[in-house]
Amino acid sequence: MNQRLWSFLVPVLSVLVALIIASFVILMIGKNPITAYAALFKGAFGSKLAIASTIVKTTPLILTGLAVGFGFRAGLFNIGAEGQMIVGAMAATAFAINAGSIPAVIAIPLTMLVGMLAGAGYASIAGFLKAKTGAHEVVTTIMLNWIADYLSSYVVTVPMGVGFGTPKSPEIASSTKLPPLMVVQATELTSGIIIAVVAAILVKILLDKTSKGYELKAAGFNPYAAEYGGIKLAQNIVLAMAISGALAGLAGTLEVMGVHHRFLGTLSGGKGFDGISIALIGQNNPIGIIFAALLMGALRNGSNEMQFIGVPKHIIMIVQAIIIFLVAADRIVRTIFLRKKVAR
């Protein structure tokens, strides 16, 4: 079968199979699956408010999915998007709080740049350690996630902490807030979605249309052959991690600039880890990742409506787990098939 068609069919069929399996679980708890899925769709796309909320949830997921997917394409398992997102958001907040005298036309891109640089620098630590010492990025990024988590708890409580209750920073300057595309009740549809989609297109161009993208993919696909061909492995490892971290940092920055308008101790909420499943479902293709993130955003937002008819939102976690399993199983089948083919 055509490779592109197969890459498209696998996630689509996985979603359908996951929904069918989940419908049996819904039946077992005494509810009607059709009614449950109708509520899910209504909660995700049934009104302007539902669509705005779904897109708000989708925006950071596109960028964390891109961060992880870009790493995969370069042969790196970057599971540190969570920490890179936190560090990017913190740095952007620290800048944006003090950027009140800068015009919005300059302050907005500068704030995004600060967040991206912070995420890139933080991810580069893992890239540098891998390039120079061989330390596996899985271990180092896990450690960096914990450091970022504890650091953010301290920063949002002591140096930047204000008020009582939920740990939070002061509000960022008005000139650094992203203009909303639409306001529905208390929900602002942030223009961050446009930035996230543009980022996905740029990553697609970088990977598929530039010589540097070819080098990054070659280094990830077969490092020995790439090195024999004159590609500098160490340089590409650090660069790939930096770009991956910049995308995660941008995710956190847009959350600050467009949604919360301040740094919260719970800002990331596991969105960095969600990037792993989104990258898998999107087949590491930047365009596929946009739709995978939209799927996850819709499932998360629509699950709230399901609860009103007595279907627990945890059903969505089952759906997500089955989708990931089936997509991963496809890779297992392909690997086994290719090995048998080589053996012949």
Side-chain angles (χ1 to χ4, degrees):
M1 185 181 290
N2 181 283
Q3 183 69 22
R4 289 187 176 180
L5 180 60
W6 181 253
S7 297
F8 170 76
L9 283 178
V10 167
V12 171
L13 292 175
S14 299
V15 171
L16 291 175
V17 172
L19 291 174
I20 291 169
I21 294 174
S23 66
F24 286 107
V25 179
I26 295 171
L27 281 171
M28 287 170 66
I29 62 174
K31 301 295 179 184
N32 186 330
I34 296 174
T35 308
Y37 289 146
L40 177 71
F41 186 82
K42 182 185 173 186
F45 302 109
S47 64
K48 281 187 178 179
L49 177 61
I51 293 171
S53 299
T54 296
I55 293 176
V56 167
K57 283 184 169 60
T58 299
T59 302
L61 298 179
I62 292 175
L63 291 165
T64 55
L66 283 174
V68 178
F70 188 87
F72 282 152
R73 293 288 292 271
L76 297 168
F77 197 68
N78 175 24
I79 57 173
E82 181 80 3
Q84 293 145 22
M85 180 180 174
I86 291 171
V87 171
M90 274 195 301
T93 304
F95 174 80
I97 289 171
N98 301 293
S101 59
I102 305 175
V105 69
I106 300 173
I108 288 175
L110 266 183
T111 306
M112 288 194 288
L113 183 62
V114 168
M116 291 176 71
L117 287 176
Y122 200 61
S124 295
I125 297 172
F128 178 79
L129 290 173
K130 182 179 178 69
K132 292 299 178 185
T133 69
H136 203 285
E137 69 276 12
V138 170
V139 177
T140 52
T141 50
I142 288 174
M143 294 167 71
L144 288 167
N145 278 343
W146 281 107
I147 293 170
D149 187 40
Y150 286 121
L151 181 64
S152 70
S153 297
Y154 168 73
V155 167
V156 84
T157 306
V158 183
M160 285 205 299
V162 292
F164 302 98
T166 304
K168 56 183 178 294
S169 73
E171 194 165 311
I172 61 174
S174 299
S175 59
T176 60
K177 294 178 184 176
L178 285 177
L181 297 175
M182 182 173 66
V183 179
V184 187
Q185 298 179 18
T187 301
E188 290 186 0
L189 173 54
T190 167
S191 48
I193 184 64
I194 297 174
I195 298 168
V197 171
V198 170
I201 294 170
L202 291 177
V203 168
K204 175 77 175 170
I205 293 171
L206 171 64
L207 284 171
D208 295 343
K209 303 292 182 186
T210 67
S211 57
K212 179 51 70 179
Y214 174 80
E215 283 187 19
L216 291 168
K217 288 188 294 183
F221 184 72
N222 192 329
Y224 301 107
E227 194 168 30
Y228 184 76
I231 294 173
K232 295 176 181 176
L233 279 184
Q235 186 186 79
N236 280 293
I237 288 171
V238 176
L239 178 63
M241 284 300 290
I243 294 172
S244 183
L247 292 165
L250 182 60
T253 303
L254 295 185
E255 285 290 276
V256 171
M257 297 174 70
V259 181
H260 305 293
H261 299 151
R262 61 175 79 229
F263 182 79
L264 303 174
T266 56
L267 178 136
S268 62
K271 297 181 185 74
F273 295 119
D274 287 337
I276 298 171
S277 54
I278 290 166
L280 284 172
I281 296 169
Q283 304 277 297
N284 299 328
N285 183 314
I287 306 304
I289 285 170
I290 294 175
F291 291 101
L294 179 62
L295 171 69
M296 286 300 157
L299 289 175
R300 299 278 170 83
N301 196 40
S303 65
N304 295 326
E305 190 72 21
M306 284 175 66
Q307 290 191 97
F308 291 125
I309 61 167
V311 178
K313 62 190 301 182
H314 298 99
I315 292 290
I316 294 306
M317 296 179 72
I318 295 174
V319 172
Q320 184 177 334
I322 295 171
I323 294 171
I324 294 168
F325 174 79
L326 293 173
V327 172
D330 163 66
R331 288 171 177 261
I332 293 170
V333 171
R334 284 193 202 193
T335 305
I336 294 171
F337 177 74
L338 285 173
R339 282 184 180 174
K340 282 186 176 179
K341 207 171 179 181
V342 169
R344 286 175 188 169

